[in-house]
Amino acid sequence: MNSFAHKSLVVQLQAGATDRFPVLAHLSYDADDPFAVTVVFSHDGRVLAQWRLDREMLGDGLLRPVGVGDVRMRPVSTGTWEELRMEFFGDARADGERHHAVVFAWAPGIAAFLRQTHRIVAPGQEEVRVDDFLATVIAGG
């Protein structure tokens, strides 16, 4: 059985109050880290940002608003188009505010990717390999 899943989607990065422009979102899942989904945002071959997201939170964000910290998600419906609005907060800027980005993804594409991850490790079947983690810590890694 495959222990990896990957999907690339064109998403919309919001610039300003209403303008959006397309960027690529590369989603990846590895059964060795069963609670996380890694998302790499890129444009013109340059990596713009990389985030590790909680897989369950990503799924919940398709249904209702979630998150209160650095990552917040909520479903958005335009009537004909279902999106997942993802809001990311980064480090502080020189003016005291935090870096902030809003990305809109096609919700059915995210849902399809999550179904793929659920075939690899079903929700509730995730395991934390504490012995492997402790061995890594003790080894200084």
Side-chain angles (χ1 to χ4, degrees):
M1 182 170 113
N2 193 358
S3 64
F4 298 97
H6 183 268
K7 185 172 193 74
S8 293
L9 297 170
V10 175
V11 298
Q12 300 290 316
L13 176 64
Q14 184 171 320
T18 57
D19 294 335
R20 296 182 184 186
F21 69 92
V23 298
L24 282 175
H26 307 279
L27 292 85
S28 60
Y29 178 79
D30 183 346
D32 287 340
D33 190 5
F35 295 100
V37 169
T38 299
V39 183
V40 177
F41 297 102
S42 66
H43 182 69
D44 286 339
R46 277 189 33 231
V47 171
L48 303 173
Q50 178 175 322
W51 287 82
R52 284 188 43 177
L53 305 175
D54 178 275
R55 180 174 75 156
E56 183 177 3
M57 181 181 173
L58 190 58
D60 289 347
L62 292 168
L63 305 173
R64 62 181 172 77
V66 295
V68 293
D70 293 343
V71 178
R72 300 170 191 173
M73 299 178 205
R74 66 180 165 90
V76 175
S77 177
T78 63
T80 57
W81 193 258
E82 301 297 319
E83 296 178 310
L84 173 63
R85 182 182 193 271
M86 298 179 281
E87 201 170 358
F88 300 96
F89 293 88
D91 296 331
R93 298 185 317 219
D95 64 4
E97 295 292 318
R98 293 176 68 190
H99 289 279
H100 176 243
V102 178
V103 175
F104 292 87
W106 186 52
I110 299 290
F113 173 75
L114 288 173
R115 284 191 300 276
Q116 197 177 3
T117 73
H118 294 163
R119 286 190 292 274
I120 296 168
V121 177
Q125 299 300 308
E126 302 92 344
E127 292 182 11
V128 178
R129 296 185 177 123
V130 176
D131 292 339
D132 293 345
F133 172 74
L134 290 175
T136 302
V137 170
I138 291 169

